[in-house]
Amino acid sequence: MTQSNVLAQAQLEGIDPCRWIGLHAEIDAIGACLRYAGFDASFTRLMGMTASALRTHFFRLQENPGLRLGPDPENPEALWGPRFGWSSLQHNNYGHFESIGHFFGADIRQVDGLDAVSTWKLLRFELDANRPVIASLHGDPLQMDIITGYRLQKAPLGQILHVVTPNGPIEIDITARKPEQEGAFPRSLILVRPESLAPHRASDDALQMGALRWALGHGRTRRELVYETQRFYATGEHAFEAFALFLRHDAQQELEEPIEADKDQIAALLPIFCRLLTDQWARARRQAALYFQAWSDDLRQSGREIEGFPDAANALGSLPEFYNKTAQALEEALAMMGSNGLDLSDANLRNKLADAIGTARQHELRTLEALAAVLN
């Protein structure tokens, strides 16, 4: 006997694979779930209204006075800091779950720590309710998959998930597997449950203006505490500065005395990190430019005004130029890194890359000034 549920029209409607990384992958996947439910939730719109297109984080130890570099062998449970953090790609203190949920009227939450039986029950409940489930199935917290269906076979027992991965749709057999075992398993889930708009909800424009005001503060503040990791990160233009300083100084030390890998591993991983970070920052700023242009065009076409924000259409329409220039500077740094064979042990190359990130920082400063002028 077989029981199955593959979401209605999931294949025909085309739930697209998540080709972004970290925070942006989560937003991309949430957008796919909302669009499946019938919402106008483009990736660009979500990136703007969550301020994710405007934020930057970079972990650096000096923002955490007293924090030890590397784990303490005498106290392995004590909090410590790396020289750089992949987690820089994962966080948004504005709260993308909360802001998207409030904007669209949805309950968006992360569920961790379930046993195998509870995981299967929850997946079946969500899929039977015609809701896709977001998961990181392959142990990479930067990569998001979308579960679109299941098949339960009784004799012999078989528990099969239909999954859209960054490489396309696949089936994953989780029969009798447990979360603590190695291999693909939905250990961490993101649920997207469309409900109804809060009765006290402000207008779309007012909510989006709130995100912009947060983004300006984020860009000007030197650092933010990220509660998930209990560490401070450099933010805004200071994140650009931190990245450049890392390339000039800490990268060589990490290559020679890596904190969490051996020398061969870090020689391969560190260039990947630098490419991904630069690429995601650049693509985020391109999304910001698209977002502001679309918002400006919508205000003009509708004749709508934003209370307390005179000439909003023209003001918002002035911003894409600045965000595109920041993106272009980051893309030039990315081009210097190439697609493979980046040797970060070359001090001259690292200094050139740091100079390129420094140029992007100058553009980011002008971008923040433009945003501040728009917000008066």
Side-chain angles (χ1 to χ4, degrees):
M1 179 179 177
T2 299
Q3 296 179 4
S4 66
N5 184 340
V6 178
L7 296 183
Q9 301 298 313
Q11 300 298 330
L12 296 177
E13 296 296 332
I15 292 181
D16 294 327
C18 298
R19 303 195 185 281
W20 292 73
I21 295 295
L23 165 70
H24 300 159
E26 290 186 8
I27 292 172
D28 193 15
I30 291 169
C33 294
L34 289 172
R35 290 191 298 275
Y36 181 82
F39 289 87
D40 178 15
S42 71
F43 179 71
T44 297
R45 190 181 193 193
L46 296 183
M47 285 288 285
M49 48 82 62
T50 63
S52 299
L54 315 178
R55 48 70 68 193
T56 43
H57 285 101
F58 193 94
F59 179 83
R60 61 174 168 182
L61 199 63
Q62 71 185 64
E63 305 297 345
N64 298 266
L67 193 65
R68 175 190 170 92
L69 174 64
D72 184 349
E74 297 182 1
N75 186 9
E77 299 300 319
L79 190 66
W80 56 273
R83 291 193 181 93
F84 72 99
W86 290 92
S87 52
S88 298
L89 290 156
Q90 293 177 264
H91 303 296
N92 178 354
N93 275 358
Y94 188 62
H96 54 295
F97 288 1
E98 296 80 4
S99 54
I100 295 174
H102 185 64
F103 192 96
F104 287 97
D107 177 22
I108 302 174
R109 65 179 68 183
Q110 189 154 8
V111 178
D112 299 295
L114 297 181
D115 59 28
V117 173
S118 298
T119 298
W120 182 255
K121 286 182 177 179
L122 180 57
L123 286 173
R124 289 190 64 181
F125 178 81
E126 294 298 311
L127 294 166
D128 286 346
N130 202 32
R131 294 189 293 258
V133 178
I134 302 165
S136 179
L137 286 157
H138 296 86
D140 183 353
L142 298 179
Q143 175 181 307
M144 292 296 118
D145 307 298
I146 303 177
I147 302 172
T148 60
Y150 68 85
R151 186 171 73 254
L152 175 61
Q153 301 169 176
K154 294 296 183 68
L157 177 66
Q159 295 170 298
I160 314 298
L161 297 178
H162 300 268
V163 184
V164 176
T165 76
N167 296 316
I170 63 172
E171 288 190 346
I172 294 181
D173 187 344
I174 62 169
T175 306
R177 295 193 61 79
K178 298 180 180 180
E180 59 269 23
Q181 294 176 311
E182 293 185 3
F185 190 87
R187 297 173 183 84
S188 179
L189 306 175
I190 298 174
L191 310 181
V192 181
R193 295 169 168 173
E195 296 181 340
S196 59
L197 294 177
H200 58 277
R201 180 190 186 279
S203 68
D204 288 3
D205 290 323
L207 292 176
Q208 292 175 138
M209 290 298 296
L212 294 195
R213 286 188 285 271
W214 177 87
L216 180 61
H218 167 89
R220 287 175 161 175
T221 302
R222 180 177 183 85
R223 65 179 188 171
E224 287 177 359
L225 175 64
V226 173
Y227 291 99
E228 293 91 336
T229 65
Q230 304 177 57
R231 298 175 177 90
F232 284 93
Y233 292 66
T235 58
E237 58 95 2
H238 296 290
F240 287 72
E241 175 189 49
F243 188 16
L245 288 173
F246 172 79
L247 288 167
R248 292 190 194 282
H249 305 294
D250 292 342
Q252 184 63 39
Q253 294 176 328
E254 182 67 17
L255 289 169
E256 294 173 353
E257 299 178 16
I259 300 295
E260 297 181 89
D262 62 37
K263 288 187 176 182
D264 289 338
Q265 289 174 324
I266 201 65
L269 288 174
L270 197 56
I272 294 173
F273 168 77
C274 292
R275 286 193 191 97
L276 285 178
L277 188 74
T278 307
D279 175 64
Q280 297 296 297
W281 284 5
R283 293 170 70 186
R285 293 305 184 266
R286 290 293 188 195
Q287 291 296 316
L290 292 171
Y291 171 72
F292 286 121
Q293 191 61 61
W295 190 2
S296 173
D297 291 346
D298 180 51
L299 289 171
R300 287 195 182 92
Q301 291 167 9
S302 67
R304 192 171 70 252
E305 298 288 344
I306 300 179
E307 184 178 356
F309 191 9
D311 200 22
N314 286 330
L316 293 168
S318 70
L319 293 174
E321 174 186 1
F322 293 94
Y323 285 94
N324 278 325
K325 285 182 177 178
T326 300
Q328 181 178 348
L330 288 166
E331 288 162 357
E332 289 172 359
L334 188 63
M336 293 172 62
M337 297 180 190
S339 58
N340 53 53
L342 177 63
D343 182 9
L344 286 180
S345 66
D346 184 339
N348 289 331
L349 175 58
R350 290 202 316 274
N351 285 330
K352 288 179 180 177
L353 290 173
D355 288 342
I357 297 299
T359 298
R361 179 189 174 219
Q362 294 305 312
H363 285 291
E364 182 74 357
L365 281 166
R366 288 190 282 273
T367 299
L368 287 169
E369 290 169 0
L371 180 59
V374 164
L375 294 176
N376 196 22

